[in-house]
Amino acid sequence: MAANTNLDSWDTNAASWDSYMGPNGNHFVTYLELPSLSSLLSPRPGEHALDLATGNGLVARWLAEQGCAVSASDGSAEMVRIARDRVGEDVRWSVVNLADEAAFGPLVREALELGGFDVISLNMAIMSLDTLVPLANALPKLLKPRTGRFAAALLHPAFMTLGASRRVDAVEDSSGNRGFEHKYSVEIRRYLDVPPGACRAVPGLPVEATYFHRPLHALFAPFFAAGLVLDGLEEPGFKAGGDVVGGWDKFSQIPPILVFRLRWMGGRAE
């Protein structure tokens, strides 16, 4: 089995993550992630959906609420246990390490029985994967050809990566009133080559996990190499003046996440 150095960390962090996120998630989930996933995936009643790296089951539950028949997996067995307790047995649960190509076998067999999944989601987990090749190679076998949609949300690699910092500058008012106005920006010192680093995804997690940065060309390269087609992309931001934890409403011109959609336009992959 391929190693995924983050799995032990997420087993340890699972209970704290669930406590922080609760049943409905944080402002990122509510205002950015779910609206963009909804826009790009457009899940419909009766469709077969697969939620990868499900965490505590937030997106899996949302897909079920749209009327989909849902399967969900996570690389952390403890996360899957928590998600099952939160969401229930109507979802088909499994433990799948997305960094291990062989681990996709049961999901590929399920997809074969269904004729492919209509919808596959991956919410805020790409940054935890040390390789995207197994996932990219599995998607043509998992997606329904042409009409199946895969969408992934991740921290925006151009604005929300390791070493990035938010800035507030007091700038003298150009009107001559001798006042100052605040200018909000993000400072990026590295983008093309940012080494992996340890961090806590949300406050209060017991241990750090490894974050893997990828510039856009490196992010999409494994999926393009597998023959997938990019046909949708959103960069949602918080609205100015909103009540958002962390002051993100002050940075309304900076999209903190990127959400993209891929399709498999070939025939049924074996």
Side-chain angles (χ1 to χ4, degrees), residues 179-201:
F180 289 86
E181 59 179 331
H182 290 132
K183 299 287 188 180
Y184 298 88
S185 62
V186 172
E187 184 173 319
I188 302 294
R189 298 174 184 86
R190 299 182 69 171
Y191 170 72
L192 289 175
D193 182 16
V194 180
C199 61
R200 287 176 170 83

Side-chain angles (χ1 to χ4, degrees), residues 120-177:
I120 302 177
S121 55
L122 178 62
N123 191 43
M124 303 302 282
I126 276 183
M127 307 85 66
S128 295
L129 298 175
D130 58 357
T131 174
L132 300 181
V133 172
L135 170 64
N137 289 341
L139 285 174
K141 304 172 187 176
L142 296 172
L143 281 168
K144 184 173 289 186
R146 305 188 72 83
T147 60
R149 294 89 70 197
F150 167 80
L154 67 153
L155 292 176
H156 202 304
F159 305 115
M160 281 282 284
T161 190
L162 293 167
S165 58
R166 288 186 287 170
R167 291 176 54 105
V168 182
D169 295 309
V171 181
E172 190 170 5
D173 191 340
S174 59
S175 66
N177 294 328

Side-chain angles (χ1 to χ4, degrees), residues 28-166:
F28 273 70
V29 175
T30 303
Y31 296 123
L32 304 182
E33 295 160 23
L34 285 184
S36 284
L37 288 173
S38 179
S39 170
L40 292 175
L41 289 174
S42 300
R44 294 183 285 271
E47 289 192 316
H48 293 281
L50 171 62
D51 184 37
L52 299 171
T54 192
N56 72 343
L58 277 171
V59 175
R61 189 189 71 180
W62 169 74
L63 288 167
E65 289 171 349
Q66 310 314 302
C68 295
V70 181
S71 297
S73 70
D74 199 277
S76 162
E78 182 62 13
M79 279 289 199
V80 170
R81 184 193 66 77
I82 289 172
R84 179 185 284 112
D85 288 346
R86 272 208 178 273
V87 181
E89 295 294 343
D90 287 342
V91 171
R92 185 171 179 175
W93 304 100
S94 61
V95 178
V96 176
N97 175 4
L98 300 184
D100 179 6
E101 195 149 355
F104 282 93
L107 294 180
V108 170
R109 288 191 289 273
E110 183 180 354
L112 188 61
E113 294 171 4
L114 299 172
F117 286 99
D118 301 286
V119 168
I120 302 177
S121 55
L122 178 62
N123 191 43
M124 303 302 282
I126 276 183
M127 307 85 66
S128 295
L129 298 175
D130 58 357
T131 174
L132 300 181
V133 172
L135 170 64
N137 289 341
L139 285 174
K141 304 172 187 176
L142 296 172
L143 281 168
K144 184 173 289 186
R146 305 188 72 83
T147 60
R149 294 89 70 197
F150 167 80
L154 67 153
L155 292 176
H156 202 304
F159 305 115
M160 281 282 284
T161 190
L162 293 167
S165 58
R166 288 186 287 170

Side-chain angles (χ1 to χ4, degrees), residues 200-218:
R200 287 176 170 83
V202 299
L205 296 184
V207 298
E208 294 179 326
T210 304
Y211 175 100
F212 297 92
H213 167 85
R214 295 175 179 90
L216 291 175
H217 70 275

